[in-house]
Amino acid sequence: MTANAPITQDVMTLPRKLPEGGPVNIVGLTREELLAALVAAGTPERQAKMRAGQVWQWVYHWGVRDFAQMTNLAKDYRALLAEHFAIVLPEVVTRQISADGTRKYLIRIAGGHEVETVYIPEEGRGTLCVSSQVGCTLTCSFCHTGTQKLVRNLTAGEIVGQLMLVRDDLGEWPERGAPKDETRLVSNLVLMGMGEPLYNFENVRNAMKVVMDGEGLSLSRRRITLSTSGVVPEIARTAEEIGCQLAISFHATTDEVRDILVPINKRWNIRTLLDSLRDYPRLSNSERITFEYVMLDGVNDTDADARRLVKLISGIPSKINLIPFNEWPGAPYRRSTPERIAAFADIIYKAGYASPIRTPRGEDIMAACGQLKSATERARKSRAQIAAETGL
Ligand code: SAH
Ligand code: SF4
């Protein structure tokens, strides 16, 4: 382990390469943005609010992709829409299904870049883990995504699009005329895929506004969890402008160890981070904060760590989520033993906190937490490695 790991890596930022002057993609526009775009395309001002509501329902409630099917709009208005707008989602490149039912999608976004989205079915609910960036600029030493050097922020449309394409794949759009079905295959959304969501704040916020809107995808803010490594200046904004549940990638109980595991700690240390969290539940009207804690053999998993952890978070309504480390090729750590994890969990539990141990899902398809990294990036790296090894 090296204590002087940089906070951010030397990344290659990718251009967005969005088509210029072409049709405007409706997916990911907030209601206000959609309204403004409809007016710009020639919708009379006094009709715009109603038209935006109608289009919104077709796109986000019914999952319609073709303006011709928006049957409550006049034919020439549908033609106007088709001329100025498009309804496009990222493209699914591959879909893998794990033995446990977890689905991992590799999706391609504008410019040809790729990210991963994971769907995790459980008894009575289904969680979608979405990505917010291609790669990540941060360098957490236990995280596979943190080794990917290509980085670009996803647009709001590319974030919302992940939920929509998974609903396509699961066949989860309501059928017109059928009785209302309240069971949801995607009932929860977590921003825990590739990337640091708080380094792409506006797009993540706008995407969540679309996702939370009651007339469309309609996922309540209580069913959305944003996970951050600890970008302190954006935490109060998350409470005020998104209001979702918050998870913190905590992972260590001393600054010395956290500096190595989560190098952003060198900028905002444990004390500063915890101080920024005290107001979160009140500001966001949420009940408690989740502390994520990855269990690394011999690094952060002693009884003393468990005791320090409960002491540190005292006074903050919280729950602790223990994550057995998921290995990836070349990872510098090993997973703590089940006995160690159980002993750690017991100390936390006895201190009065819920301490669920996260069951790794989709490990056979490298879909578990921290294993995501796009296939093209893997291929690119390994070619470079082969070249190095063969001395070419
Ligand atoms: N960038 C954000 C969200 C994505 S990571 C963040 O860091 O919070 C989602 C969670 O998976 C984080 O808690 C992260 O620390 C954890 N994680 C990363 N790599 C992991 C690994 N190899 N095994 C287990 N959990 C890991
Ligand atoms: Fe980025 Fe989160 Fe991975 Fe850290 S754990 S490198 S912040 S994706």
Side-chain angles (χ1 to χ4, degrees):
M1 294 201 296
T2 97
N4 48 17
I7 298 170
T8 54
Q9 54 173 327
D10 191 11
V11 294
M12 260 174 65
T13 345
L14 293 159
R16 270 237 323 257
K17 269 211 214 136
L18 290 182
E20 275 167 46
V24 175
N25 187 11
I26 286 181
V27 178
L29 298 182
T30 60
R31 268 184 191 271
E32 301 75 45
E33 286 169 342
L34 175 59
L35 200 139
L38 291 178
V39 171
T43 309
E45 293 259 4
R46 59 190 161 73
Q47 289 179 12
K49 194 156 180 225
M50 187 174 76
R51 297 285 171 250
Q54 288 167 318
V55 171
W56 187 276
Q57 269 218 342
W58 284 115
V59 175
Y60 296 119
H61 179 77
W62 300 109
V64 159
R65 304 290 146 75
D66 182 356
F67 296 106
Q69 288 175 30
M70 302 187 174
T71 46
N72 59 351
L73 300 174
K75 266 223 172 98
D76 48 352
Y77 191 65
R78 285 184 245 162
L80 176 138
L81 290 175
E83 191 188 327
H84 293 92
F85 296 97
I87 305 168
V88 258
L89 305 186
E91 175 196 342
V92 178
V93 182
T94 56
R95 181 193 73 176
Q96 287 169 279
I97 304 186
S98 156
D100 69 13
T102 300
R103 292 174 181 225
K104 182 170 85 170
Y105 305 83
L106 178 70
I107 64 165
R108 187 174 294 140
I109 56 176
H113 317 307
E114 291 171 347
V115 291
E116 291 176 327
T117 305
V118 180
Y119 173 68
I120 308 146
E122 286 170 284
E123 195 62 39
R125 66 185 211 164
T127 303
L128 187 67
C129 178
V130 304
S131 292
S132 55
Q133 298 182 307
V134 175
C136 185
T137 57
L138 299 172
T139 54
C140 304
S141 52
F142 54 90
C143 174
H144 202 204
T145 305
T147 66
Q148 179 169 333
K149 289 204 174 351
L150 304 178
V151 178
R152 119 144 144 70
N153 280 339
L154 264 56
T155 62
E158 289 160 349
I159 298 170
V160 175
Q162 293 173 59
L163 170 56
M164 295 172 71
L165 63 84
V166 172
R167 292 191 75 180
D168 285 355
D169 185 46
L170 299 172
E172 203 193 9
W173 294 103
E175 223 175 283
R176 260 158 288 166
K180 205 170 173 207
D181 182 0
E182 295 289 348
T183 54
R184 302 279 298 250
L185 294 173
V186 182
S187 60
N188 295 66
L189 186 149
V190 295
L191 284 150
M192 296 188 185
M194 297 165 74
E196 169 48 61
L198 296 189
Y199 275 155
N200 185 15
F201 187 86
E202 280 83 9
N203 290 327
V204 165
R205 177 201 55 208
N206 290 357
M208 292 308 107
K209 277 192 179 169
V210 172
V211 165
M212 293 186 294
D213 189 289
E215 263 185 285
L217 296 161
S218 200
L219 273 184
S220 125
R221 59 182 194 83
R222 294 181 190 281
R223 292 177 171 272
I224 297 174
T225 304
L226 182 151
S227 174
T228 179
S229 57
V231 185
V232 165
E234 305 290 0
I235 286 178
R237 253 181 113 192
T238 305
E240 284 157 10
E241 299 179 33
I242 309 177
C244 59
Q245 309 296 307
L246 186 68
I248 301 292
S249 293
F250 205 59
H251 307 322
T253 59
T254 63
D255 282 323
E256 200 187 352
V257 176
R258 197 163 189 270
D259 279 352
I260 297 165
L261 298 181
V262 190
I264 202 176
N265 193 69
K266 290 188 261 186
R267 184 158 323 152
W268 297 291
N269 66 15
I270 291 180
R271 176 67 41 214
T272 313
L273 174 60
L274 291 173
D275 282 345
S276 77
L277 298 177
R278 292 188 201 280
D279 278 343
Y280 192 89
R282 184 180 55 78
L283 290 176
S284 64
N285 189 21
S286 60
E287 274 162 31
R288 48 189 185 169
I289 290 175
T290 301
F291 286 85
E292 298 164 282
Y293 199 95
V294 63
M295 299 296 294
L296 303 171
D297 186 31
V299 176
N300 62 355
D301 62 352
T302 64
D303 287 355
D305 279 303
R307 283 192 288 267
R308 264 196 304 270
L309 178 58
V310 292
K311 222 166 155 187
L312 281 169
I313 64 172
S314 75
I316 303 174
S318 21
K319 99 174 177 211
I320 297 161
N321 206 331
L322 299 178
I323 317 174
F325 174 60
N326 295 310
E327 297 189 8
W328 37 273
Y333 302 106
R334 283 192 320 267
R335 179 183 292 183
S336 307
T337 62
E339 297 75 33
R340 185 86 295 273
I341 299 177
F344 196 98
D346 195 51
I347 293 174
I348 292 168
Y349 179 74
K350 289 203 171 111
Y353 293 94
S355 57
I357 298 165
R358 194 182 287 175
T359 322
R361 297 290 303 262
E363 277 184 297
D364 52 341
I365 55 169
M366 287 279 288
C369 302
Q371 292 184 314
L372 304 184
K373 180 165 176 176
S374 54
T376 43
E377 171 74 8
R378 274 197 289 276
R380 201 180 66 88
K381 273 269 172 66
S382 52
R383 269 201 301 279
Q385 271 157 8
I386 292 163
E389 278 160 21
T390 53
L392 290 172

